[in-house]
Amino acid sequence: MSTPPANPFLSFSFAAPGPGPDVRHDVYSTPKRKASLEARSVSKHRRRIVTTAAELTISSSNGDTSGGGSGSSNNSASKRSAKRRVKPEQQLGSGSGGGLPEKLRSPGHPEWPLRCVCVGHNPSATAWAKGHFYAHPSNHMWRLLHAAGVSPRPLTCVDDERLPIELGVGFTDLGHDCPGTNSAAFKRDVLRTWRAGLFERLRGHVRRAAATAAAAAAASAALPDPQCGGAGGDGGAVGGGSSGGGSGSRRGGAAAAAAAAVKLEMEDAAAAPERLGYPHVIAFTGKRQWRELFFGTPEAEALAKKVDYGLQQARPPDWPFPPPPNGPLVVVLASSSGASALSNEARIAPYRLLAGLLRDVRWPHSPERSVEAQRLS
């Protein structure tokens, strides 16, 4: 039986049974392919040499003289292994603090009672790095506040520092010192700490804001009426009689009304001084952070299952405020995260409700407050 001629384009080799070298089947063993593989291997080897030289240069420039190229490689390997050994709570920044401070007052201004305090869950890695709330490009918060009518102008994340004095809107988080995007990683014992911390921070804000409001009201009440004494008479003389007097009379009436409002406010808060510092609305920017406050009793956990968007009637255990009308309203807003699967209409509806609740709340709270803010700042 004759043997068929060999194919000149393919070279098949088969391993012979028994001892000996293992010669494997290779359909690409043409001379051109072999030359290409050899050239690629040489090129990769050269790149490795160049990379090692660059690492040596960087290492020496940083003052690392602990072992040349192998030391640099070992350092890189140790850093990678150390990164893998980091615990989840360390990656979330638990206890590191300070990356995203609360924005309950504007820089250079006193801490006033706010129309609204927005409470998020915890800072994202982007917000933590930038130092501004809702700073991720896919987050809809700033667009929603403008589109719903809470803000009359378009906003960006850097406006979180201006809004406390500009609109009376401040920002904090339930887990304000724990950055991370995986909110499910935080367990029940962590949430207990968060709840106590949030309530204490809200109490601290109320105390400081009440002190500012009380000082401003007292200073305003002590101010003399500008239309009494020399100021009003001079205005009438310069203005030519009745027109100056009429203008002075109107200004005097406005000042008297404002002083009466301040006096009424002080008398109303005499029994509970901290009431001066209460925000009008506390808005939780997502169901999760409001629902996570309801634990500790079977009744509270049953209420947590009924949380929906909009105005909230129930309050969690140890809630630091009295119920309305003496205490602030609570609103749950839709999550502004880009990962939230909501339609635009479903997302913006609770924000429109918030805009309606804030529309009738004066800001500044009284004419004296804006003047006193400039004096105290």
Side-chain angles (χ1 to χ4, degrees):
M1 183 175 181
S2 61
T3 303
N7 190 329
F9 299 101
L10 297 177
S11 174
F12 289 90
S13 299
F14 298 91
D22 184 14
V23 183
R24 298 188 179 276
H25 161 210
D26 183 8
V27 297
Y28 297 106
S29 57
T30 62
K32 183 181 292 187
R33 179 61 177 170
K34 285 183 177 180
S36 175
L37 291 175
E38 289 175 0
R40 183 176 300 177
S41 177
V42 171
S43 176
K44 185 182 296 184
H45 182 65
R46 287 175 178 169
R47 287 199 300 271
R48 189 180 299 117
I49 293 173
V50 172
T51 303
T52 304
E55 289 175 351
L56 286 172
T57 303
I58 295 171
S59 177
S60 62
S61 66
N62 290 334
D64 183 5
T65 58
S66 60
S70 61
S72 176
S73 176
N74 291 337
N75 288 340
S76 300
S78 64
K79 288 179 181 179
R80 289 193 296 270
S81 62
K83 187 175 181 180
R84 286 193 296 269
R85 291 195 298 270
V86 172
K87 296 180 181 180
E89 59 267 26
Q90 292 172 332
Q91 289 179 342
L92 293 168
S94 179
S96 55
L100 183 60
E102 294 181 308
K103 306 293 176 71
L104 300 177
R105 59 180 289 270
S106 294
H109 293 273
E111 190 164 348
W112 290 104
L114 297 173
R115 295 197 303 160
C116 178
V117 174
C118 295
V119 182
H121 189 273
N122 68 290
S124 68
T126 304
W128 186 264
K130 292 185 176 182
H132 294 287
F133 284 85
Y134 310 102
H136 196 281
S138 67
N139 198 290
H140 302 287
M141 172 58 70
W142 307 108
R143 179 186 64 81
L144 287 167
L145 291 179
H146 174 55
V150 176
S151 170
R153 64 176 181 86
L155 301 171
T156 65
C157 66
V158 298
D159 289 308
D160 61 356
E161 294 184 344
R162 299 178 56 188
L163 289 189
I165 194 64
E166 185 177 311
L167 295 178
V169 177
F171 301 90
T172 187
D173 279 321
L174 177 58
H176 79 295
D177 61 348
C178 295
T181 54
N182 184 13
S183 58
F186 301 103
K187 304 305 180 184
R188 179 59 62 90
D189 56 341
V190 177
L191 298 179
R192 288 181 183 273
T193 305
W194 284 7
R195 182 174 77 176
L198 173 66
F199 291 174
E200 184 55 38
R201 295 197 311 276
L202 289 175
R203 291 188 189 100
H205 163 67
V206 164
R207 287 193 294 269
R208 294 187 297 272
T212 302
S220 299
L223 289 176
D225 189 336
Q227 302 309 315
C228 296
D234 291 344
V238 173
S242 61
S243 62
S247 175
S249 176
R250 287 192 295 271
R251 289 196 299 269
V262 169
K263 182 179 179 182
L264 183 62
E265 184 179 77
M266 295 292 290
E267 291 174 351
D268 183 58
E274 289 188 355
R275 189 180 301 173
L276 276 176
Y278 287 171
H280 184 68
V281 178
I282 300 178
F284 287 78
T285 60
K287 291 181 182 179
R288 183 179 177 88
Q289 50 266 40
W290 176 243
R291 188 165 50 224
E292 285 175 345
L293 301 180
F294 289 85
F295 60 82
T297 65
E299 294 80 7
E301 294 179 0
L303 290 171
K305 299 176 181 178
K306 302 178 181 179
V307 170
D308 203 352
Y309 300 125
L311 277 171
Q312 305 298 305
Q313 302 300 324
R315 296 293 184 267
D318 303 322
W319 181 247
F321 303 104
N326 296 325
L329 302 170
V330 175
V331 176
V332 171
L333 305 175
S335 172
S336 60
S337 170
S340 177
L342 289 172
S343 67
N344 290 336
E345 185 58 33
R347 194 191 304 271
I348 200 173
Y351 290 83
R352 288 176 176 151
L353 170 64
L354 175 63
L357 294 174
L358 299 181
R359 192 168 293 125
D360 296 331
V361 181
R362 291 178 295 168
W363 187 260
H365 187 63
S366 66
E368 287 75 15
R369 176 170 295 181
S370 59
V371 175
E372 193 64 16
Q374 296 175 6
R375 190 184 71 81
L376 296 175
S377 61

